Amino acid sequence: MRKTFNKILILFAVSLLFNACEENAIPELTEPVSEEATYVKFFFHVENAPSVNFYFDDQKVSAVGSSSADEVQGNSYGSVFPSNAYALIPSGDFNVNARDLEGNVIASTNASFAADKNYSAYLVGTTDSYEVFVMEDQLPPSDRVKIFWRFVNTMANMPFSVDVYAIKAAVPETDDSPAQAVQVISLGNGLAFKQGGDYTELEPGNYTFKVFESGSDYDPETSTPYIQNTVNVASKGRVYSTQIRGTYAESPSSKNIDYWRER
């Protein structure tokens, strides 16, 4: 296992070299590289947490480029590693742990990673109670034309589960195209903390992603949600996730919702 790990860490180091030359230049992994490898993204979703890195057992598997003083760096709240890609990691059973820059383990969990599968690993909770959890990303088959989207709830201390919708506004008729009615697409109902919906196909266009309290009285199209953001969904062949993160507040900020690309 250590020999395999070292080989894969060499590939990991090469990807960091490319990243130093061009922003977000970590190569996208779309084809199997090793029968013993798996693919993992790492999310840092605890507000006011110190900078941290993820480890599989005692092997560091996330990174931030060194500063000019060559000091050890870590990821902060709202970041993801790697950006718009997956890290190549050995498959198997590991203790997945997050450590601060002094090497202290602040949260850990045991998880199994199957070969040639995709996963997201999250640091969630609050500074009083950190937690690591792992979710398999059951990506849809590759398709150069279709766009897929899902929702994941990683907001700590939420007193309710959520219903989530992607709302595509109505488009008026023009000389060149007919009118299009509003589209209301469910991305999941009753999603509690550390739960996500299925990947759902979306047509290109401008969408407002709305998050409502489950069980409350609302109209997805017209009611004011708990939190929302608007995204132009345009790049065909891509797969994304919208996520809410941080700690629950009655009036969340724009930093509590964001989206990332899986493929």
Side-chain angles (χ1 to χ4, degrees):
M1 173 63 74
R2 178 166 295 277
K3 182 177 180 182
T4 301
F5 217 135
N6 289 339
K7 288 181 179 179
I8 292 177
L9 288 179
I10 290 173
L11 293 175
F12 172 73
V14 171
S15 73
L16 290 180
L17 177 61
F18 280 112
N19 193 47
C21 300
E22 181 179 352
E23 185 179 1
N24 294 332
I26 294 176
E28 288 187 49
L29 300 173
T30 57
E31 298 295 336
V33 178
S34 167
E35 293 181 356
E36 299 176 328
T38 190
Y39 307 94
V40 188
K41 292 173 73 73
F42 300 93
F43 293 89
F44 302 81
H45 282 186
V46 182
E47 290 182 278
N48 301 314
S51 295
V52 299
N53 288 297
F54 271 95
Y55 289 73
F56 275 23
D57 295 334
D58 291 323
Q59 296 282 352
K60 186 178 178 182
V61 291
S62 70
V64 174
S66 298
S67 68
S68 58
D70 203 29
E71 296 175 345
V72 176
Q73 302 291 301
N75 285 273
S76 57
Y77 171 65
S79 62
V80 58
F81 177 84
S83 180
N84 295 332
Y86 284 89
L88 181 62
I89 306 292
S91 58
D93 300 326
F94 297 97
N95 177 264
V96 183
N97 57 90
R99 305 185 188 187
D100 63 21
L101 300 188
E102 285 70 48
N104 301 307
V105 175
I106 63 173
S108 67
T109 190
N110 294 316
S112 297
F113 298 86
D116 201 28
K117 298 287 187 180
N118 296 75
Y119 298 87
S120 290
Y122 296 87
L123 177 66
V124 296
T126 68
T127 53
D128 293 323
S129 179
Y130 295 102
E131 188 174 354
V132 169
F133 84 95
V134 176
M135 172 183 294
E136 182 181 351
D137 299 338
Q138 297 181 347
L139 302 180
S142 295
D143 191 305
R144 294 185 179 276
V145 176
K146 295 180 179 179
I147 304 169
F148 290 90
W149 217 283
R150 72 166 177 181
F151 172 83
V152 181
N153 181 358
T154 68
M155 183 173 282
N157 294 344
M158 288 200 79
F160 50 80
S161 58
V162 297
D163 303 337
V164 187
Y165 299 87
I167 313 294
K168 185 181 181 185
V171 178
E173 180 182 9
T174 68
D175 292 338
D176 300 321
S177 60
Q180 299 179 29
V182 63
Q183 295 185 36
V184 179
I185 299 138
S186 174
L187 296 181
N189 294 304
L191 298 176
F193 179 52
K194 300 188 296 183
Q195 289 185 333
D198 296 328
Y199 287 101
T200 301
E201 184 180 354
L202 299 182
E203 298 176 357
N206 289 314
Y207 287 82
T208 300
F209 293 85
K210 294 185 176 183
V211 180
F212 293 94
E213 177 181 350
S214 297
S216 62
D217 186 17
Y218 63 84
D219 182 308
E221 182 182 350
T222 61
S223 296
T224 300
Y226 168 68
I227 192 171
Q228 69 178 44
N229 70 345
T230 300
V231 180
N232 178 256
V233 178
S235 299
K236 294 182 179 181
R238 297 300 189 186
V239 179
Y240 299 87
S241 291
T242 286
Q243 303 171 340
I244 54 173
R245 62 194 181 196
T247 304
Y248 172 80
E250 290 186 5
S251 299
S253 76
S254 60
K255 293 182 179 180
N256 292 120
I257 186 170
D258 206 348
Y259 72 98
W260 295 98
R261 174 161 65 87
E262 274 84 83
R263 185 168 62 208

